[in-house]
Amino acid sequence: MTTKTLQDLYIHSLSDIYSAEKQMTKSLPKMARASTNPGLRSAFEAHLEETQGQIGRIDQVVEAGGIKLKRIKCVAMEGLIEEGLEQIDEIEKGPVLDTALIAAAQKVEHYEIAAYGSLIALAKQLGETDAVKLLGDTLKEEKATDEKLSLLAEEKQAAEALGK
Amino acid sequence: MTTKTLQDLYIHSLSDIYSAEKQMTKSLPKMARASTNPGLRSAFEAHLEETQGQIGRIDQVVEAGGIKLKRIKCVAMEGLIEEGLEQIDEIEKGPVLDTALIAAAQKVEHYEIAAYGSLIALAKQLGETDAVKLLGDTLKEEKATDEKLSLLAEEKQAAEALGK
């Protein structure tokens, strides 16, 4: 029993999302390279840059709170990424793979939306106001990325319906 | 390359969420038993019943569409569940574990929200109007469960702040 208090759970959750974000920095370039749609490719590239900033925010939270992160691997993100990369192996480059990549990326974004939502609730309860602000900025970015991906899926559909 | 068309991707995605829901029916009872908060326990029990209905809707979609689901295991849900069950082993029963279980369940709900969202977009594109309706009903339930869990987290916090 290494997790006894809410503070322990907070550190565990921060360590988990840190691992998740680090894994994303490795898989986003692969997803960008596999995309045919230029808008999708640039969305992945932009999100990679954003992810680096989000890791920087976790570093700030850790430093300000005098926290030592645990070296754990986020197995949930591992599964999500595995699912996305499998699609790259199984589907030829083109509109179908692009649709699959958008779906895979939205699953990842929703994982992060849930993870940051819970982390912010914990930070509030622990009175970590700077962390609430920093993690809140990241949560806004994750939601915006999810919306951007939904729009890309709709635009793709409309273009394909017109036979473009 | 077994996935070539949007129809192939649709069947793959239906098979994936079918596996995810089936896995949930096995883990929800464990999460209910591990909960101390009676509201949380009954939320898990209610969601188990709802999940059975959601599997029934996938069966309807499959039958109406003359679809044969693939026997695949949703590795992303496997990772999400593993993460939740690990918490049960690592944290003593009580308010901290309840908080961890809420967070784990919200990650699962968000996975399903993203998965059904993408499935509905595919079903629309393929002109599967009955499927759009059925999967839309499930999506509403998943969103409602996520909101219920957010409320439970807030109520728990308020009660703990009052030293209850």
Side-chain angles (χ1 to χ4, degrees):
Chain A
M1 300 275 175
T2 51
T3 308
K4 288 182 197 291
T5 64
L6 285 180
Q7 175 72 15
D8 294 338
L9 184 61
Y10 179 60
I11 295 171
H12 183 90
S13 308
L14 272 174
S15 307
D16 188 79
I17 194 72
Y18 191 82
S19 157
E21 296 286 18
K22 282 279 183 186
Q23 290 182 56
M24 276 310 288
T25 59
K26 287 183 194 155
S27 70
L28 278 166
K30 293 178 195 163
M31 293 171 89
R33 278 197 299 273
S35 310
T36 311
N37 183 303
L40 183 58
R41 181 183 288 240
S42 72
F44 285 140
E45 286 164 352
H47 192 52
L48 173 61
E49 210 166 302
E50 214 167 49
T51 302
Q52 311 280 15
Q54 293 168 350
I55 291 171
R57 286 197 197 107
I58 301 175
D59 286 332
Q60 283 181 63
V61 168
V62 163
E63 209 168 310
I67 289 165
K68 198 172 162 1
L69 289 184
K70 291 196 266 181
R71 294 174 72 86
I72 52 175
K73 184 154 195 182
C74 176
V75 286
M77 184 57 82
E78 205 175 9
L80 286 164
I81 289 175
E82 194 183 321
E83 200 170 277
L85 298 185
E86 257 176 32
Q87 311 269 38
I88 298 178
D89 289 338
E90 278 175 21
I91 311 174
E92 210 172 316
K93 259 191 171 188
V96 178
L97 178 57
D98 283 352
T99 302
L101 287 172
I102 291 175
Q106 285 194 292
K107 287 174 178 171
V108 166
E109 285 316 305
H110 272 277
Y111 178 83
E112 298 186 330
I113 288 168
Y116 282 109
S118 300
L119 253 177
I120 291 166
L122 268 174
K124 272 187 195 160
Q125 217 172 335
L126 294 166
E128 299 282 354
T129 44
D130 289 347
V132 170
K133 164 82 180 65
L134 286 162
L135 302 170
D137 289 344
T138 294
L139 179 59
K140 269 184 226 147
E141 285 175 0
E142 305 291 9
K143 285 184 177 171
T145 299
D146 179 54
E147 279 164 28
K148 196 199 272 182
L149 290 166
S150 287
L151 278 177
L152 271 170
E154 283 171 27
E155 282 170 18
K156 250 177 79 3
Q157 276 184 26
E160 282 154 23
L162 289 169
K164 276 188 199 164
Chain B
M1 299 276 174
T2 52
T3 308
K4 289 182 194 292
T5 64
L6 284 181
Q7 175 73 14
D8 296 338
L9 184 61
Y10 179 59
I11 295 170
H12 183 90
S13 309
L14 272 173
S15 308
D16 188 78
I17 194 72
Y18 191 81
S19 157
E21 296 286 17
K22 283 279 182 187
Q23 291 182 56
M24 275 311 287
T25 60
K26 288 184 193 153
S27 71
L28 278 166
K30 293 178 194 164
M31 294 171 88
R33 278 197 298 276
S35 309
T36 311
N37 182 303
L40 182 58
R41 182 184 286 240
S42 72
F44 285 139
E45 286 164 351
H47 192 51
L48 173 60
E49 210 165 304
E50 214 167 50
T51 301
Q52 310 280 14
Q54 293 168 350
I55 291 171
R57 286 198 198 108
I58 301 174
D59 286 332
Q60 283 182 63
V61 168
V62 164
E63 209 168 308
I67 290 165
K68 197 172 160 1
L69 289 184
K70 293 197 265 181
R71 294 174 71 86
I72 53 174
K73 183 153 195 182
C74 176
V75 287
M77 184 58 81
E78 203 175 10
L80 286 164
I81 289 175
E82 192 182 322
E83 200 170 278
L85 298 185
E86 257 177 30
Q87 310 269 36
I88 297 178
D89 289 337
E90 278 176 22
I91 311 175
E92 209 171 318
K93 260 192 170 187
V96 177
L97 178 56
D98 283 352
T99 302
L101 288 172
I102 292 175
Q106 287 195 291
K107 286 174 179 172
V108 166
E109 287 315 306
H110 272 277
Y111 178 83
E112 297 186 331
I113 289 168
Y116 282 109
S118 300
L119 255 176
I120 291 166
L122 268 175
K124 271 187 195 160
Q125 216 170 339
L126 294 166
E128 299 282 354
T129 43
D130 289 347
V132 170
K133 164 81 180 64
L134 285 162
L135 302 171
D137 289 343
T138 294
L139 180 58
K140 271 183 225 145
E141 286 176 0
E142 305 292 8
K143 285 184 178 170
T145 300
D146 180 54
E147 279 164 27
K148 196 200 272 183
L149 290 166
S150 287
L151 278 177
L152 270 169
E154 281 171 27
E155 281 170 19
K156 251 178 77 8
Q157 276 184 29
E160 282 154 23
L162 288 168
K164 277 189 199 167

